[in-house]
Amino acid sequence: MTLLVTGGAGFIGANFVLDWLAESSETVINLDKLTYAGNLETLASLQDNPHHVFVQGDIGDADLVAQLLQTYQPRAVINFAAESHVDRSIHGPGEFIETNIVGTFRLLESVRGFWSALPAAEKTGFRFLHVSTDEVYGSLSQDEPAFAETHRYEPNSPYSASKAASDHLVRAWHHTYGLPVLTTNCSNNYGPFHFPEKLIPLMIVNALAGKHLPVYGDGMQIRDWLYVKDHCSAIRRVLQAGQLGETYNVGGWNEKPNLEIVHTVCKLLDELRPKADGSSYATQITTVTDRPGHDRRYAIDARKLEQELGWKPAETFDSGIRKTVEWYLANPDWVSHVQSGAYRDWVQQQYAPPASAATAVNAV
Ligand code: NAD
Ligand code: TYD
């Protein structure tokens, strides 16, 4: 049995692959383009694991994807691959359209071609799980109820619009062609291996470097935070028991304003790595110009996943954020290689350069 995971060198995909292979001997084919967000150093512990096969390539490369599907005959495809940073989508939306919409379309077509030719038993068991975001639902006012799966789609950023479009494609491939799909829409993740341009890791690394902690606008925008390993356990559960064609919201019931998050990170650092002069890291907080079109509030109603599939997060926000800060303190090399760009050379340092983009770097 084999899984094809896309985007498995990114933050959530890599955590998923690491968690999967810690508990299972089912092989994971990991297809990742290695954009700036893809980091093979995150997967270094799998170097000698024969159940991990890394392939550098694009989800939109139909020939490559068809070849991988034919060669490895996966029982499921889990699609994490995406451009994922809202600020980058504001500065350059093109890549978001290319990967999140066109790439998902091409991947769906490749998978449909493979799936439709499968024998009946394999066809029935096959799954395409699409990993999406709560940002497709738009922004909530202070007193509106949290997003349920029935909430209208109202994306506001190029990122969320591109993810919304991909969700619609996945839905349509189920309704029109019968492709056995599942979709998850998760809230903001945090945890180990998070690229330090997103809020929580950025605040940790900037604080330690004595830099400003830039809070957009009034800092009272609310996000619903989930520890990444709880997102991974939700995906495993949906893959195992989700109803075909259904979408599942994933969240931790942890709504917090950004400023509170930043103060929590500062307090933990004050405790775990106190500054020599005795001052708090909170003195480094600065307010900066707000993000254009900044969504005010996200909140996830995760009752469908909890009640129908029995999923529950293992971490509270307090336990998860402490583990996260401790992880960044314990892994300065991973952080410094990301900051210096050295992580991009990691595969070349460890292995002979691949002959082509389609070359499998076995067991990276
Ligand atoms: P990430 O940016 O850290 O990782 C994305 C990965 O996809 C990278 O390894 C990158 O190299 C790869 N990739 C990009 N374009 C590709 C392409 N065309 N072909 C193959 N690989 C490609 O993102 P993440 O935070 O790990 O998010 C993973 C998924 O989860 C995304 O679909 C995102 O929309 C969704 N999501 C993220 C969050 C969050 O808080 N980070 C929350 C909910 C949902
Ligand atoms: P981010 O981690 O970019 O995730 P998203 O925009 O997908 O929710 O940002 C989380 C929140 O933190 C968001 O409201 C924007 C805010 N933010 C800051 O205030 N300062 C920062 O430097 C960053 C990166 C984000």
Side-chain angles (χ1 to χ4, degrees):
M1 300 283 261
T2 303
L3 291 185
L4 174 60
V5 167
T6 73
F11 165 49
I12 304 171
N15 272 288
F16 180 86
V17 171
L18 290 166
D19 288 1
W20 184 272
L21 291 173
E23 287 176 14
S24 166
S25 57
E26 185 173 2
T27 296
V28 173
I29 312 303
N30 186 348
L31 172 65
D32 195 297
K33 189 177 173 183
L34 295 183
T35 67
Y36 79 94
N39 185 347
L40 284 179
E41 207 170 328
T42 301
L43 300 166
S45 62
L46 300 178
Q47 199 165 338
D48 298 320
N49 189 329
H51 298 294
H52 182 235
V53 178
F54 182 79
V55 180
Q56 183 173 4
D58 195 315
I59 55 167
D61 182 340
D63 291 341
L64 170 61
V65 175
Q67 181 200 318
L68 292 175
L69 291 167
Q70 279 312 321
T71 307
Y72 295 104
Q73 301 280 315
R75 68 171 173 101
V77 174
I78 305 178
N79 184 31
F80 291 95
E83 290 292 334
S84 72
H85 190 191
V86 174
D87 291 323
R88 283 182 187 251
S89 82
I90 294 167
H91 294 294
E95 280 300 312
F96 289 72
I97 306 305
E98 213 40 63
T99 283
N100 299 2
I101 305 179
V102 181
T104 302
F105 155 67
R106 296 219 168 100
L107 180 65
L108 282 166
E109 279 295 80
S110 304
V111 172
R112 182 166 76 90
F114 167 72
W115 168 78
S116 49
L118 285 174
E122 281 91 335
K123 207 171 174 183
T124 308
F126 188 84
R127 296 289 180 270
F128 180 95
L129 194 156
H130 180 61
V131 180
S132 193
T133 167
D134 61 355
E135 304 195 24
V136 298
Y137 298 123
S139 185
L140 290 168
S141 63
Q142 203 57 43
D143 47 6
E144 275 179 290
F147 300 129
E149 289 79 359
T150 49
H151 196 281
R152 68 186 175 277
Y153 268 41
E154 221 169 31
N156 292 319
S157 72
Y159 164 65
S160 55
S162 67
K163 289 297 291 187
S166 70
D167 293 7
H168 291 322
L169 291 174
V170 170
R171 176 188 163 87
W173 260 240
H174 175 67
H175 281 267
T176 304
Y177 304 112
L179 192 71
V181 307
L182 299 156
T183 299
T184 54
N185 293 89
C186 189
S187 57
N188 283 58
N189 285 212
Y190 66 98
F193 304 113
H194 204 180
F195 198 81
E197 65 179 9
K198 304 277 176 89
L199 180 72
I200 290 178
L202 181 77
M203 295 302 147
I204 299 171
V205 304
N206 272 13
L208 293 171
K211 294 184 182 167
H212 287 312
L213 309 180
V215 172
Y216 298 164
D218 64 2
M220 295 311 288
Q221 303 84 3
I222 291 172
R223 298 291 181 265
D224 186 341
W225 295 92
L226 184 69
Y227 191 62
V228 63
K229 288 176 182 301
D230 284 324
H231 187 188
C232 295
S233 74
I235 291 169
R236 291 197 298 274
R237 184 65 191 139
V238 172
L239 181 66
Q240 184 183 45
Q243 294 296 307
L244 292 189
E246 289 294 311
T247 66
Y248 295 90
N249 283 354
V250 187
W253 305 99
N254 281 312
E255 283 186 60
K256 309 247 180 236
N258 293 338
L259 205 50
E260 185 182 327
I261 297 284
V262 179
H263 275 287
T264 302
V265 166
C266 290
K267 245 187 243 152
L268 282 164
L269 287 172
D270 288 341
E271 175 197 327
L272 299 167
R273 184 67 58 85
K275 287 212 264 186
D277 66 4
S279 68
S280 169
Y281 289 98
T283 58
Q284 294 166 224
I285 296 173
T286 342
T287 306
V288 299
T289 310
D290 207 351
R291 170 190 282 173
H294 198 169
D295 284 340
R296 196 68 184 163
R297 175 176 167 241
Y298 304 141
I300 276 280
D301 179 339
R303 277 177 296 180
K304 179 176 172 183
L305 178 58
E306 291 174 353
Q307 291 171 6
E308 291 184 16
L309 302 188
W311 172 85
K312 279 258 181 289
E315 302 294 340
T316 63
F317 184 73
D318 285 351
S319 65
I321 192 72
R322 179 174 284 275
K323 281 188 179 177
T324 303
V325 172
E326 285 171 349
W327 186 89
Y328 279 87
L329 289 173
N331 290 278
D333 287 350
W334 185 91
V335 173
S336 74
H337 294 171
V338 170
Q339 288 176 317
S340 70
Y343 74 105
R344 307 212 66 172
D345 305 328
W346 196 84
V347 73
Q348 277 82 5
Q349 285 162 17
Q350 305 291 321
Y351 299 92
S356 79
T359 303
V361 184
N362 269 300
V364 164

